[in-house]
Amino acid sequence: MYERKTSPSLNCGLDLIGEVLYGKWKVRLLWFIDQGHKRPSELQRKIPDATRRVLNVQLKELEDHELVTRKIYPVVPPKVEYSLTEFGKTLIPVISALGQWGDAHQDRLRDVILKRAAGALD
């Protein structure tokens, strides 16, 4: 497992939010959990590009940061559900605002991203 070699920089709010939300799928996981997709298999279907292992690692990190809780039901086979904590729910308006910004600028962002990807292939 990955072990950090340096201490994280936690000097301002942007450092802190980056530390908590760093991970390709974390913002989408929080959003989908808020939308009612609570089982790992449901989250996997919503984010098919992510491996189950990566989703589990990022869900564990979100749990460690007290943004989500995991409930294990004592049934066979075991059933697991994730939900947002009250603290995690405070991020939803921020994620929504970021999504709205992305929607408003999607053409420009898509062009920039595709141009960069094309340049990387050259």
Side-chain angles (χ1 to χ4, degrees), residues 18-30:
E19 186 65 29
V20 171
L21 293 181
Y22 176 75
K24 187 172 183 176
W25 310 111
K26 286 184 181 178
V27 171
R28 292 178 71 186
L29 285 168
L30 290 167

Side-chain angles (χ1 to χ4, degrees), residues 20 31 36 53 55 67 82 95 97 104:
V20 171
W31 183 259
R53 181 187 171 282
L55 290 181
L67 298 173
Y82 290 90
I95 294 170

Side-chain angles (χ1 to χ4, degrees), residues 28-38 46 84 92:
R28 292 178 71 186
L29 285 168
L30 290 167
W31 183 259
F32 290 137
I33 292 169
D34 183 61
Q35 299 299 306
H37 304 281
K38 301 186 181 305
K46 296 300 284 184
L84 295 181
I92 297 305

Side-chain angles (χ1 to χ4, degrees), residues 56-75:
N56 287 338
V57 167
Q58 293 194 0
L59 284 163
K60 174 69 173 123
E61 290 173 356
L62 291 170
E63 191 178 2
D64 291 345
H65 286 114
E66 302 177 0
L67 298 173
V68 300
T69 58
R70 178 180 56 173
K71 182 171 184 179
I72 302 172
Y73 293 90
V75 295

